[in-house]
Amino acid sequence: MNVHYKRKALAAAVSMIGLGAAQAAPIATLDRNGAWVSVEAYGPNVVHITIAADKAEALKGPGYGILPKNADNATFRHSSGNDGDSFVSPMLKLRVNPAPQPRVPSQMEKYFAPQLAPVGLQVRNAKGDVVLDMTGWDLSPQTVAGEKTYQASASFSAQADEHYYGMGQNQESTGPLDLRGRTLDCKHWYDAPAGETVCVPFMVSSKGYGIVWDNPSATRFIAGVNGRTAFQSNVGERVSFFVITGSTPEEIYSGFARVTGKTPIPPKAAFGLIQSKARYESQQEILSVANTYRQKQYPLDIMVLDWFYWTRMGQLDIDPAQFPAPAAMNKQLHDLGMQSIVSVWPRFETSGRYFNELDAKGYFLKDKDGKTVDGLPFRSDRAGALIDSTNPAARQWFWERMRDNVLSQGFDYPWLDETEPDLVPDGFFYSIGSGDRYHNVFPLLHTEGVHQGMRAWKPNKRALILSRAAYLGSQRTGALFWSSDINPSWEALARQIPTGLNMTASGIAYWGNDIGGWQWLPQSTRATKQPLVDPRGAEETVGQNHDYPELLTRWFQYGTFLPTLRLHGDRKHAEIWAFGKHAESIMARYDRLRYQLIPYLYSQAKSTWDSGAPFMRPLWMDFPQDPNVANIGTQYMFGPAFLVAPVTEQGQTEKDVYLPAGSDWYNFWTNEKLAGGRWIKVAAPIDQIPVFVRAGSILPLGADIQSTASKQAIAEIRVYPGKDGEFALYDDDGVSYDYEKGKATLAKLKWDNGAGKLSVSGDSELSRKAPGIIKVLGK
């Protein structure tokens, strides 16, 4: 790495993260025979541990994505003794082992033992149980991108019955959820064979703790292999990680929120139907689709304008031939009660109007000789250079041109595509250093730059961003994430369920996927079973792919129970009515159901804002005492009430579903009550996917509306008896940041199972109305 890049890297690092200089000092920095161990806290259940051979490295502040201003040592006390150093709070105890006594190395150790001084430590939870035992660390010398550096790693004991989750988006599994026994490459990789991988290096254990691994280079995660769990990062001069303990998911994720940032409440429109396609070619087509939704009275909140509405890649303009009046188009959408999202790419082709300016300013990703990288030959990629969003000035430039040239035409929200970035940075250089060292930071910095710009531009209109990748802290940017350009296949659908559950377990609560798959749709099928959906009327879109309407129908049913519901795909048509009358009737029913669920969903958004915990979550979070749920990645909880088991096989009309122990369950469609703690075979005709409601649940259902632009009354309050229950029904204006100031309504619904009575407090109007809209199942 040349001196020019080293100077720029240091300056950028200081400006972006302050190197911790303005933050509180660590609780202690310990010398273990030349291995320096620095300890600081982020509240009573979070410790940050940094280990290095160079004391200056151990004292550097945390890296990208971390919020050092939230460091808080107040609840910890430090003591030293013969058994090492202890750091104790009411929720956590960290003990760093003493340095071992010097001794003569054995013959083997002379040649093969690490040269670094050993460091061991243990973390205990509030009950005193050891939840984490670090057994070793290492810095292995290597040269990366011309820079002498190290592979940085740490190893931990894997308990025999321990299970591991999170670590971002990995699409290799078609069902099993537990990462134990697997080795994952935690790096952004668009071309991953099973679907794009996204690195969010936050691992959550079934033992009641999580590890935030603080290194943005490509990282290997080894999960419980031969009794060992390890993180190995490709570039680094230290080992830095956070340990978060908690007896509930909410305690763990609230700690994660202190370390990396809170998850804001999205605009209410984000919970409605989002209609997209690759691509709507004109404003006439967009308005025609929007008007058809209103004519058919199918609820819709957002229309999306995908790529190539511009005249040239990187022009940051709107083609006047196909979009002669974008502001008028957006006004018509707004008049229909809809909003709009527009795709803005970070790429600039050499013949575009901004390329020379950006090149001269050094605002692009560079090669080792300082020349702008233009596309990727190995991918036949000729889409131009990548804006270097690690450079604050480049980020500001990009935001201002996006704002002035595109968003100013009445578009409500941006779609930031290619945020991995798709132009792989390995071997190249950002302003802050090598793309190898900072492989995973682009989606955070690129998205956060736009988010900050949006908040400054319209300070009381909530930001919403579609983003294709994430990193630590990305949840704080107001982004909705999705699983990238997946295939329109049954296999891809099956992969989405465990993929999404480990992504949300990584602290990224707002995750979804392209309903129906994005990639080009083959116009024939290999299916051998008779389609369950009549394909007649879909031929213009699907050709002879007769089972695709069935696939899309099943996918849409699944999407109804995702944090975001967005139709998309590289097809001639992508709307509800484009796949035959049979598919249309079923999807329209689920579209209406989605809108009935918005009061329930929006209340979950408030819970996630409060705690950071996802509301689409694997079963182990809610049923930790049931060992049978540890590896189930084919079904999940959607808020506190729903258990959802999507259908992912063509021609399938029944499905095996596990009902967790510790509760009774109601079939959502039939209201049949069933005992938990067992597998059951559930009927799954084409108009139903298995959905169950936990006994004791209170489910508020909204009145029919065409979009969230209309105020939605509560039409029904369903009670599923069997145990006492509570529900916090939350609402606000759905568009502003006033919720951050507490401007909202919160009705507390409480079910007394013994008395058979529901009480409502906090909302006098709902309390008055409640007796007429309560429906108790079984009565």
Side-chain angles (χ1 to χ4, degrees):
M1 184 179 184
N2 61 37
V3 173
H4 168 72
Y5 278 117
K6 282 184 177 178
R7 289 173 178 165
K8 293 190 75 175
L10 179 60
V14 171
S15 69
M16 303 251 340
I17 61 172
L19 296 180
Q23 310 311 319
I27 302 173
T29 301
L30 312 173
D31 183 358
R32 291 297 185 258
N33 289 339
W36 295 93
V37 183
S38 182
V39 178
E40 65 176 344
Y42 278 60
N45 66 329
V46 183
V47 286
H48 176 208
I49 300 153
T50 310
I51 310 170
D54 182 342
K55 186 177 182 180
E57 289 289 340
L59 289 173
K60 280 184 179 178
Y64 288 95
I66 310 300
L67 299 177
K69 65 183 178 64
N70 289 344
D72 180 4
N73 300 328
T75 59
F76 277 83
R77 57 182 176 83
H78 171 215
S79 60
S80 298
N82 293 333
D83 63 345
D85 286 75
S86 293
F87 303 83
V88 181
S89 81
M91 295 184 70
L92 182 155
K93 178 180 179 180
L94 165 68
R95 184 174 71 88
V96 181
N97 298 348
Q101 292 296 320
R103 62 183 180 83
V104 178
S106 69
Q107 289 294 328
M108 288 286 287
E109 289 172 333
K110 288 179 180 178
Y111 298 101
F112 300 110
Q115 294 183 336
L116 296 168
V119 174
L121 57 87
Q122 300 82 41
V123 174
R124 295 178 183 268
N125 61 19
K127 295 186 293 185
D129 300 327
V130 175
V131 294
L132 183 72
D133 181 8
M134 193 192 88
T135 56
W137 72 293
D138 197 19
L139 297 175
S140 302
Q142 59 178 345
T143 299
V144 179
E147 178 185 20
K148 289 186 177 180
T149 181
Y150 303 87
Q151 175 183 275
S153 63
S155 298
F156 307 87
S157 293
Q159 299 184 52
D161 58 345
E162 187 168 10
H163 309 284
Y164 303 94
Y165 310 95
M167 294 303 293
Q169 177 177 285
N170 183 288
Q171 304 196 48
E172 292 181 358
S173 175
T174 57
L177 186 68
D178 186 4
L179 302 178
R180 188 182 181 99
R182 297 173 59 187
T183 298
L184 301 183
D185 285 326
C186 193
K187 67 176 183 179
H188 302 330
W189 186 20
Y190 175 85
D191 295 309
E196 177 172 329
T197 61
V198 170
C199 184
V200 183
F202 178 37
M203 181 279 292
V204 182
S205 165
S206 62
K207 293 298 182 180
Y209 74 93
I211 294 177
V212 177
W213 183 253
D214 176 27
N215 187 308
S217 68
T219 296
R220 177 172 290 116
F221 175 60
I222 301 164
V225 177
N226 289 325
R228 168 177 170 261
T229 293
F231 296 83
Q232 299 173 342
S233 287
N234 196 41
V235 182
E237 288 74 40
R238 64 178 187 172
V239 164
S240 173
F241 61 95
F242 295 75
V243 182
I244 307 170
T245 62
S247 58
T248 66
E250 283 68 28
E251 288 182 355
I252 292 174
Y253 287 98
S254 64
F256 181 75
R258 288 197 302 276
V259 173
T260 64
K262 296 187 71 171
T263 302
I265 300 177
K268 192 175 285 187
F271 296 96
L273 178 61
I274 303 172
Q275 179 62 62
S276 182
K277 190 184 80 165
R279 65 186 173 87
Y280 291 117
E281 297 186 359
S282 67
Q283 71 180 60
Q284 180 182 359
E285 186 181 7
I286 283 183
L287 291 172
S288 174
V289 168
N291 280 300
T292 302
Y293 267 99
R294 288 295 176 257
Q295 291 161 11
K296 288 180 173 285
Q297 296 188 332
Y298 298 160
L300 176 67
D301 258 270
I302 298 176
M303 286 294 301
V304 181
L305 178 55
D306 200 356
W307 61 349
F308 290 113
Y309 61 83
W310 48 71
T311 60
R312 196 182 291 274
M313 181 71 77
Q315 287 284 95
L316 293 177
D317 64 357
I318 302 171
D319 183 358
Q322 299 302 324
F323 298 88
M329 176 190 76
N330 281 309
K331 183 179 185 305
Q332 290 185 59
L333 291 176
H334 293 157
D335 290 344
L336 292 170
M338 299 179 192
Q339 299 185 59
S340 59
I341 290 176
V342 61
S343 175
V344 185
W345 276 47
R347 302 285 291 276
F348 294 80
E349 62 176 289
T350 57
S351 54
R353 62 172 167 171
Y354 292 123
F355 182 89
N356 289 338
E357 174 191 350
L358 294 170
D359 193 34
K361 289 180 175 179
Y363 285 0
F364 288 135
L365 183 72
K366 303 289 186 181
D367 67 16
K368 61 182 178 60
D369 299 318
K371 296 180 180 178
T372 291
V373 179
D374 179 19
L376 289 176
F378 79 84
R379 191 186 283 146
S380 300
D381 180 330
R382 299 181 293 279
L386 177 75
I387 191 84
D388 180 3
S389 292
T390 71
N391 183 331
R395 285 201 307 277
Q396 183 68 17
W397 183 97
F398 183 78
W399 156 247
E400 290 174 353
R401 299 310 178 280
M402 175 197 300
R403 177 196 64 196
D404 297 344
N405 298 2
V406 181
L407 294 180
S408 64
Q409 295 300 307
F411 292 100
D412 294 283
Y413 311 112
W415 171 354
L416 300 181
D417 214 332
E418 286 215 331
T419 47
E420 301 86 359
D422 197 21
L423 209 164
V424 183
D426 294 357
F428 303 132
F429 292 86
Y430 291 123
S431 67
I432 56 173
S434 77
D436 298 84
R437 178 180 287 275
Y438 298 106
H439 180 99
N440 292 321
V441 299
F442 186 89
L444 169 65
L445 301 181
H446 186 65
T447 306
E448 190 157 49
V450 172
H451 174 253
Q452 291 169 349
M454 293 179 74
R455 285 214 68 162
W457 182 38
K458 296 185 177 180
N460 209 24
K461 180 179 179 179
R462 283 181 220 174
L464 174 68
I465 300 169
L466 282 182
S467 179
R468 200 167 75 181
Y471 184 62
L472 295 171
S474 287
Q475 76 280 353
R476 66 183 182 238
T477 66
L480 310 178
F481 304 93
W482 89 101
S483 60
S484 189
D485 299 341
I486 52 177
N487 287 309
S489 68
W490 292 96
E491 179 184 339
L493 171 58
R495 293 183 186 279
Q496 295 312 294
I497 302 165
T499 295
L501 295 179
N502 272 321
M503 185 65 155
T504 59
S506 306
I508 306 297
Y510 293 102
W511 176 94
N513 46 70
D514 293 340
I515 302 300
W518 185 86
Q519 298 288 358
W520 180 81
L521 179 68
Q523 297 294 287
S524 61
T525 181
R526 296 180 180 177
T528 57
K529 296 180 181 178
Q530 183 72 21
L532 297 180
V533 172
D534 186 345
R536 286 178 296 179
E539 294 85 356
E540 184 183 1
T541 302
V542 306
Q544 299 301 306
N545 195 336
H546 296 313
D547 70 309
Y548 185 76
E550 179 187 345
L551 171 61
L552 180 64
T553 298
R554 289 304 198 190
W555 212 315
F556 195 94
Q557 292 169 346
Y558 162 50
T560 302
F561 297 93
L562 284 175
T564 58
L565 171 62
R566 184 172 61 91
L567 277 165
H568 191 41
D570 186 9
R571 290 174 281 284
K572 187 172 184 178
H573 304 288
E575 301 75 37
I576 284 176
W577 56 82
F579 300 90
K581 292 293 185 182
H582 191 187
E584 178 180 352
S585 65
I586 299 172
M587 287 192 285
R589 177 187 171 195
Y590 277 80
D591 184 23
R592 295 188 183 100
L593 173 60
R594 174 72 177 197
Y595 277 78
Q596 289 180 298
L597 293 176
I598 282 178
Y600 173 82
L601 289 172
Y602 203 63
S603 299
Q604 305 317 310
K606 171 61 163 57
S607 296
T608 294
W609 159 251
D610 288 338
S611 72
F615 58 88
M616 182 181 84
R617 48 208 265 171
L619 300 179
W620 62 264
M621 288 192 185
D622 293 280
F623 303 96
Q625 305 307 317
D626 187 343
N628 296 312
V629 304
N631 200 27
I632 295 178
T634 54
Q635 54 188 73
Y636 56 92
M637 293 301 295
F638 192 55
F642 287 111
L643 184 151
V644 184
V647 175
T648 59
E649 295 180 21
Q650 196 271 316
Q652 187 174 12
T653 57
E654 59 181 16
K655 184 179 177 72
D656 292 330
V657 176
Y658 183 75
L659 301 180
S663 177
D664 290 335
W665 298 87
Y666 289 83
N667 185 310
F668 179 65
W669 309 109
T670 69
N671 295 328
E672 178 187 8
K673 187 177 180 181
L674 298 159
R678 58 181 176 143
W679 287 92
I680 62 170
K681 195 171 289 292
V682 183
I686 187 57
D687 61 346
Q688 294 179 11
I689 63 168
V691 178
F692 290 84
V693 182
R694 181 163 33 177
S697 295
I698 302 169
L699 179 60
L701 295 175
D704 289 338
I705 54 174
Q706 288 297 292
S707 80
T708 59
S710 301
K711 184 171 177 58
Q712 187 179 31
I714 300 300
E716 183 179 318
I717 301 174
R718 289 189 191 175
V719 177
Y720 293 82
K723 62 170 62 174
D724 293 345
E726 294 183 357
F727 188 86
L729 179 60
Y730 174 83
D731 199 16
D732 57 33
D733 63 26
V735 294
S736 78
Y737 285 105
D738 286 351
Y739 75 88
E740 295 180 345
K741 306 169 188 174
K743 295 182 179 180
T745 61
L746 185 66
K748 295 184 178 180
L749 313 181
K750 188 172 182 179
W751 169 250
D752 185 330
N753 195 65
K757 183 179 179 180
L758 180 80
S759 60
V760 179
S761 60
D763 185 330
S764 57
E765 181 180 350
L766 184 62
S767 180
R768 177 186 56 79
K769 183 181 177 183
I773 61 174
I774 295 171
K775 180 180 179 181
V776 180
L777 273 293
K779 290 188 177 182

